[in-house]
Amino acid sequence: MSHHPVKLYTFPLSGHAHRVRLALSLLNVPTELIEVDLRKGEHKQADFLKLNVFGQVPVIDDNGTVIADSNAILVYLARQYGNSDWLPSDPVGEANVQRWLSVAAGLVAFGPAAARLVTVFGAGFNADEVINRSHNLLKVMDAELANRPFLIGSKPSIADIANYTYIAHAPEGNVALSAYPNVGAWLRRIEALPGFVGMQKTAVGLAA
C-alpha cells in the first residue's frame, strides 16, 4: 500500500481525469489532487510532458510509479489497491472488462464525450452526428443492463468506472437519458457506492 498519497494530475472538467479520481475514492486510496490548467496550456509544457508525452490528463504518480492514460491507470489501481471484483483475474472476466474499456475509449469518446466537448469546450464536431452516435450506444447499453446491475455482472468493476462519467454528464452535450431506464438505474447504483465522488457539473445543453 502507498505510504504517501497518490498524486493525481487532473482538470475539474475532464471526464477522463474524473474516472481516476472516482476510482481512487472508491478504493479509499489517499490522494493529492494537482490541477493542471488546460486552458492555459499547462499540459503542453515541458515539465508535464515529462509525465505524459502525449500532453494529456490524467496522470498519477504513485510514489515514483508514473502512469498516464485513464484506462491504464484504472487497471493499475485495481491491481495495486483493489480486489478481483474491480478487475477479475480469470480470462473471461478480464476480457469482459477489457471490452468495456474499449467502449469507453471508442464509442463513449466519440459519442457522449464528443457531444459534451461541443457544448462545454466549443469543439468543432458535428453535433447531430455525435448525438446520434450517443443514442446508438445508449440503446445497446440499456439492453445490456436489463439483465444485470453492473456492466459485467453483479458487482461494480473498473468497466463501470471507465464508462460512468461521460454517460452521467451526457445531458450537458444535449444527449437525453430519459429513454434509457436501465442506464439511469445503473448510474444511480454507482452514485450510491461508498466513496462515490461526482464530477463538477456544467450548466450547458440539456443541463442548462
Side-chain angles (χ1 to χ4, degrees):
M1 295 295 288
S2 175
H3 297 293
H4 302 283
V6 172
K7 294 179 181 178
L8 169 58
Y9 293 83
T10 184
F11 181 70
L13 297 179
S14 165
H16 286 75
H18 177 260
R19 292 173 184 170
V20 175
R21 186 181 180 194
L22 177 57
L24 286 161
S25 187
L26 292 174
L27 293 170
N28 197 30
V29 178
T31 305
E32 176 188 353
L33 299 179
I34 301 172
E35 186 170 329
V36 180
D37 194 333
L38 304 190
R39 292 189 175 98
K40 291 183 178 178
E42 290 181 357
H43 56 308
K44 301 300 183 182
Q45 300 303 308
D47 286 349
F48 187 79
L49 291 172
K50 291 176 183 176
L51 298 172
N52 182 3
V53 294
F54 293 110
Q56 299 169 329
V57 294
V59 177
I60 64 166
D61 180 347
D62 186 8
N63 297 291
T65 298
V66 177
I67 312 266
D69 180 84
S70 60
N71 286 347
I73 295 169
L74 293 183
V75 169
Y76 170 83
L77 293 175
R79 289 283 189 242
Q80 185 75 349
Y81 296 107
N83 54 39
S84 60
D85 290 340
W86 293 105
L87 180 58
S89 56
D90 67 286
V92 172
E94 190 166 3
N96 285 337
V97 167
Q98 182 58 59
R99 174 190 180 219
W100 285 104
L101 295 182
S102 295
V103 170
L107 296 171
V108 170
F110 294 104
R116 180 176 170 272
L117 284 173
V118 173
T119 54
V120 177
F121 297 103
F125 297 114
N126 182 305
D128 289 339
E129 182 178 332
V130 294
I131 289 169
N132 287 336
R133 257 189 231 150
S134 301
H135 285 295
N136 289 335
L137 167 63
L138 286 163
K139 288 173 188 173
V140 174
M141 290 187 74
D142 203 64
E144 294 244 343
L145 288 163
N147 300 312
R148 55 184 183 271
F150 296 100
L151 287 175
I152 70 162
S154 62
K155 296 179 180 179
S157 70
I158 60 171
D160 301 286
I161 298 175
N163 286 277
Y164 167 81
T165 307
Y166 287 119
I167 300 297
H169 288 258
E172 294 177 7
N174 288 308
V175 178
L177 298 176
S178 54
Y180 312 105
N182 298 320
V183 170
W186 167 72
L187 293 174
R188 291 189 292 274
R189 287 185 200 104
I190 296 172
E191 290 158 4
L193 294 173
F196 172 83
V197 58
M199 182 172 73
Q200 179 178 317
K201 295 180 180 179
T202 307
V204 294
L206 300 178

